[in-house]
Amino acid sequence: MGVRIKPKRSETSSSTPGTSDIEVGEIAVNITDQKIFIRKSDDNIIELANATGISDVVDDTSPQLGGNLDLNGNDIVSTSNADIDIIPNGTGDINLGADTVQVGDNNANATITTQGTGDLILNTNNGTNSGTISILDGANGNITITPNGSGNVVLDGLSFPNSDGSAGQFLKTDGSAALSFASVTSSFTKMDAITTDGSTAYTLNVSSSAFTSATTNGTIVSVNGVTQAPVDAYSISGSTITFTESLSSDDVIDYIIAIDTQDIGTPGDGTVTAAKLDTGLKSFTEDTFTGDGSDTTFTLSVAPPSDTSIMVFLDGVSQPAGNYSVSSTTLTFSTAPPDSVAIRVLHLGFTGSSAAITDGGVTINKFASEVFKRRAWEEKDGNFTAVAGGAYLIDVSSAALTATLPASPSLGDEVRFLDATGSAGTNNITVGRNSQKINGNAADLTVSTNSAAFLLVYYNSTYGWRYTEV
């Protein structure tokens, strides 16, 4: 017959035996709690088994799940500011089967980063048929956005092209959020001849068809050999040019030249200043010759793109384009300029090389006003210092005044003066030379002719300021 072992027992819930209940090595059972206890030699009472499982995961040094772990609305947390590490074995990955993954605690800023020096790459479908966003590790590392295949990068609704353009091209929009590369094109267009009839408004035509100019400031107009000031002398709206004063049938419109433009975007009005232009656009090239009464051809320093891209003066009088032609660097007059006449040729900035604007191309109507528009006329009734490009209406009806020319002028600087009140004969206008010569003379200029109007153009230190038309 077998030996029957009957351990000490209790049916009281949550009752644990003490050292007075069992000896060292003896076993006790709590029938209600379904737990087994034993007394060790150090008098500690140890729980050997529990029918409901272990009381704490820490009691198992290598636990394994036999099924899904249901948190039952609870969280996985750590204590003492310890990290929570989820580390797959070998090449295993961590898959989060949720359509939304949230990071950061209680409105704090969240950081997603790599452990170590690896790059951070975001893609879809395990990288299959997916674009990528890569944050490259290391100092001065790039952030790259690479669409898949022929896909585009779309930023704030703007779709960027998926391939680079050619050198010197710019990005332009189609007005429907699609961007593409395009090239800058610019040229000059000469209007058809206009017969004046005593009115102020005339229609602009090219090859007998109405022509719409971009802006008033984008045109050059010469009447009776005198270049007119945009806005002050005329304005353009659509294909109509309107002069501020009526033109009689005796007046002659020598030429009207418009600068063709291409819309390349929307830089802010007046934001493209002269500082952003290539030197060839800021400083007009000048050629000077002297007529001998027989020669009709002269060699220019650069080849202009067309007859209408230069301005030609004989003794300060602007010549109509019909009086000359250009072929490469050869300027040919229809009639030989008279002996000793001063020939001056101004290139309008766009030479044969057509240097590019330094920070990318822009349309003419986006240039700052000083680039193509003559300085507006200013009224002066007291002593003043003129600036290059200035135009001054002088009022000496009450007292004489002195207009001091600019200091340190450059080749081609211009200043205009007009005795607006017709009083210079009584109250003289003195033009102070400011250490430069005037028409070759080291003396100030005294104007004593009523209603005198003249333009001074600076040449060099030998001749100083030279007279030409208003």
Side-chain angles (χ1 to χ4, degrees):
M1 184 176 181
V3 177
R4 182 179 181 186
I5 299 175
K6 188 176 182 181
K8 291 183 178 180
R9 57 193 179 277
S10 170
E11 294 185 5
T12 302
S13 176
S14 301
S15 175
T16 302
T19 55
S20 62
D21 297 320
I22 57 176
E23 299 293 333
V24 173
E26 280 190 306
I27 294 175
V29 177
N30 186 313
I31 298 173
T32 301
D33 293 341
Q34 302 180 51
K35 295 180 180 180
I36 301 175
F37 304 91
I38 189 173
R39 177 179 174 180
K40 294 176 61 179
S41 59
D42 59 2
D43 290 335
N44 285 322
I45 305 300
I46 301 300
E47 181 180 326
L48 293 178
N50 187 333
T52 60
I54 60 177
S55 61
D56 199 320
V57 177
V58 73
D59 294 335
D60 191 339
T61 59
S62 58
Q64 292 184 341
L65 297 177
N68 294 332
L69 177 61
D70 185 355
L71 297 181
N72 194 26
N74 296 306
D75 299 324
I76 298 176
V77 299
S78 66
T79 60
S80 303
N81 299 316
D83 294 336
I84 296 176
D85 296 330
I86 302 176
I87 304 176
N89 178 262
T91 59
D93 295 319
I94 295 175
N95 299 317
L96 300 177
D99 55 10
T100 301
V101 176
Q102 297 180 352
V103 297
D105 20 85
N106 296 327
N107 300 321
N109 294 333
T111 300
I112 299 176
T113 187
T114 61
Q115 285 189 331
T117 60
D119 299 335
L120 183 63
I121 300 174
L122 178 66
N123 59 32
T124 65
N125 197 24
N126 288 321
T128 302
N129 295 328
S130 172
T132 61
I133 299 177
S134 301
I135 302 177
L136 307 185
D137 178 72
N140 305 314
N142 294 331
I143 297 176
T144 64
I145 303 176
T146 307
N148 179 260
S150 60
N152 295 93
V153 173
V154 180
L155 296 178
D156 198 20
L158 297 176
S159 180
F160 286 76
N162 52 29
S163 60
D164 194 10
S166 303
Q169 287 189 311
F170 60 90
L171 274 176
K172 74 171 185 177
T173 179
D174 64 354
S176 299
L179 304 180
S180 61
F181 289 100
S183 299
V184 178
T185 59
S186 292
S187 60
F188 293 89
T189 300
K190 182 184 178 185
M191 303 298 108
D192 293 349
I194 295 176
T195 301
T196 58
D197 57 10
S199 60
T200 59
Y202 300 88
T203 300
L204 300 176
N205 289 295
V206 175
S207 301
S208 301
S209 297
F211 178 86
T212 300
S213 180
T215 64
T216 299
N217 293 337
T219 58
I220 300 174
V221 179
S222 174
V223 178
N224 297 330
V226 178
T227 302
Q228 305 297 299
V231 179
D232 298 322
Y234 65 91
S235 62
I236 293 178
S237 177
S239 59
T240 299
I241 180 171
T242 302
F243 291 90
T244 54
E245 296 183 1
S246 299
L247 301 182
S248 70
S249 57
D250 294 330
D251 291 321
V252 176
I253 299 176
D254 306 304
Y255 53 78
I256 301 177
I257 299 172
I259 305 171
D260 296 336
T261 64
Q262 175 179 352
D263 186 5
I264 61 170
T266 55
D269 291 337
T271 59
V272 182
T273 62
K276 290 298 182 184
L277 300 180
D278 182 85
T279 302
L281 299 177
K282 292 189 291 186
S283 302
F284 292 170
T285 300
E286 180 184 43
D287 289 316
T288 57
F289 311 97
T290 301
D292 60 8
S294 60
D295 286 339
T296 59
T297 61
F298 299 86
T299 301
L300 304 174
S301 58
V302 292
S306 66
D307 296 356
T308 55
S309 64
I310 59 174
M311 298 178 67
V312 179
F313 301 88
L314 297 183
D315 275 347
V317 178
S318 177
Q319 301 299 300
N323 288 0
Y324 61 86
S325 62
V326 291
S327 176
S328 185
T329 58
T330 301
L331 168 66
T332 303
F333 289 92
S334 55
T335 301
D339 185 38
S340 300
V341 72
I343 304 170
R344 183 181 182 220
V345 181
L346 283 180
H347 299 253
L348 299 181
F350 294 91
T351 63
S353 61
S354 189
I357 296 174
T358 54
D359 281 1
V362 293
T363 56
I364 298 303
N365 61 326
K366 290 299 179 181
F367 284 119
S369 60
E370 70 267 18
V371 176
F372 282 108
K373 179 184 175 183
R374 236 180 238 169
R375 183 179 296 275
W377 286 85
E378 300 179 44
E379 181 182 12
K380 297 292 184 180
D381 58 4
N383 296 342
F384 68 96
T385 298
V387 297
Y392 302 99
L393 297 169
I394 308 297
D395 178 3
V396 287
S397 58
S398 298
L401 63 75
T402 297
T404 303
L405 291 170
S408 304
S410 301
L411 175 70
D413 283 352
E414 298 180 350
V415 182
R416 287 173 168 79
F417 299 98
L418 172 62
D419 176 15
T421 60
S423 307
T426 303
N427 298 314
N428 296 163
I429 301 171
T430 300
V431 179
R433 66 190 186 91
N434 207 353
S435 300
Q436 300 293 330
K437 294 180 180 179
I438 299 178
N439 215 33
N441 298 315
D444 293 340
L445 171 65
T446 299
V447 181
S448 58
T449 302
N450 289 337
S451 301
F454 56 97
L455 165 67
L456 294 178
V457 180
Y458 185 76
Y459 183 27
N460 56 29
S461 59
T462 301
Y463 296 97
W465 297 89
R466 306 289 284 179
Y467 299 124
T468 182
E469 89 286 352
V470 172

